[in-house]
Amino acid sequence: MPEPEDVADFTGEPDGFERLWTPHRMVYIQGERPADDAGAGCPFCAAPAKGDAEGLVVHRGEHCYVVMNLFPYNPGHVLVCPYRHVPLYVDLTDDETTEFTALTKAAIRALEAASAPMGFNLGMNQGAVAGAGVAAHLHQHVVPRWGGDSNFLPIVARTKALPMLLEDVRSRLAEHWPA
């Protein structure tokens, strides 16, 4: 059986591929998972306690708020969250449900005004088995979509190229938030 080649021998060798290095993703991949308990260990309890720019908060309502997704699928990917630490949609009060829905609609309007997407994905993953990264605190994704925004990178390279910084998108959405 032949000996495997040492990959160090290939450092700097051109192979026809360009690489987009995304070391910042390691924070998410290797990071601690949010606590199930309310408080500083939950990113959706911690965000509204910070200033808007630091917490990436786009808009604050009475019962719910809108925050940038720290690991967005597309520029403008926001999350609508209740302030209260509840895991399921059915756990919301009627007032929270009303505002949760109103903020989802307002997020769509702000994204339309700020960046003219061609469509949206809206969704909630309730429970870890359903794909919720933070299962203990309800949140709804609002993801703007454009024709051609998905390409070979996520499929082949498990990499997503994002053309705007989170704070730039947050500022733009806050500026275009419906009155």
Side-chain angles (χ1 to χ4, degrees):
M1 181 174 220
E3 286 292 314
E5 297 173 289
D6 185 355
V7 293
D9 293 340
F10 296 106
T11 304
E13 289 291 320
D15 63 0
F17 290 98
E18 288 196 41
R19 288 167 175 76
L20 296 175
W21 301 104
T22 58
H24 63 279
R25 294 285 298 168
M26 292 309 292
V27 172
Y28 179 75
I29 293 166
Q30 294 178 333
E32 291 182 26
R33 293 293 162 221
D36 285 342
D37 300 329
C42 172
F44 303 131
C45 288
K50 301 174 183 175
D52 289 354
E54 180 188 3
L56 296 174
V57 175
V58 176
H59 179 80
R60 296 171 189 265
E62 183 180 346
H63 305 286
C64 303
Y65 70 99
V66 180
V67 64
M68 301 301 303
N69 187 327
L70 191 55
F71 301 100
Y73 298 138
N74 272 343
H77 181 171
V78 296
L79 304 169
V80 179
C81 307
Y83 291 112
R84 208 163 52 91
H85 188 85
V86 296
L88 302 173
Y89 184 72
V90 296
D91 293 336
L92 295 177
T93 66
D94 289 344
D95 289 340
E96 288 169 330
T97 301
T98 298
E99 189 172 65
F100 193 85
T101 300
L103 289 182
T104 299
K105 291 170 71 173
I108 291 169
R109 288 186 184 111
L111 284 160
E112 287 174 333
S115 56
M118 301 166 83
F120 294 90
N121 290 119
L122 305 175
M124 291 180 261
N125 302 323
Q126 295 190 42
V129 70
V134 182
H137 197 130
L138 178 68
H139 56 284
Q140 175 161 259
H141 296 259
V142 180
V143 183
R145 301 300 307 270
W146 293 268
D149 66 10
S150 290
N151 56 33
F152 68 93
L153 285 174
I155 297 163
V156 175
R158 299 185 55 92
T159 301
K160 181 73 178 179
L162 297 166
M164 294 181 72
L165 298 174
L166 284 174
E167 177 51 29
D168 294 344
V169 177
R170 190 208 68 78
S171 296
R172 194 168 181 173
L173 286 176
E175 175 187 332
H176 287 89
W177 198 263

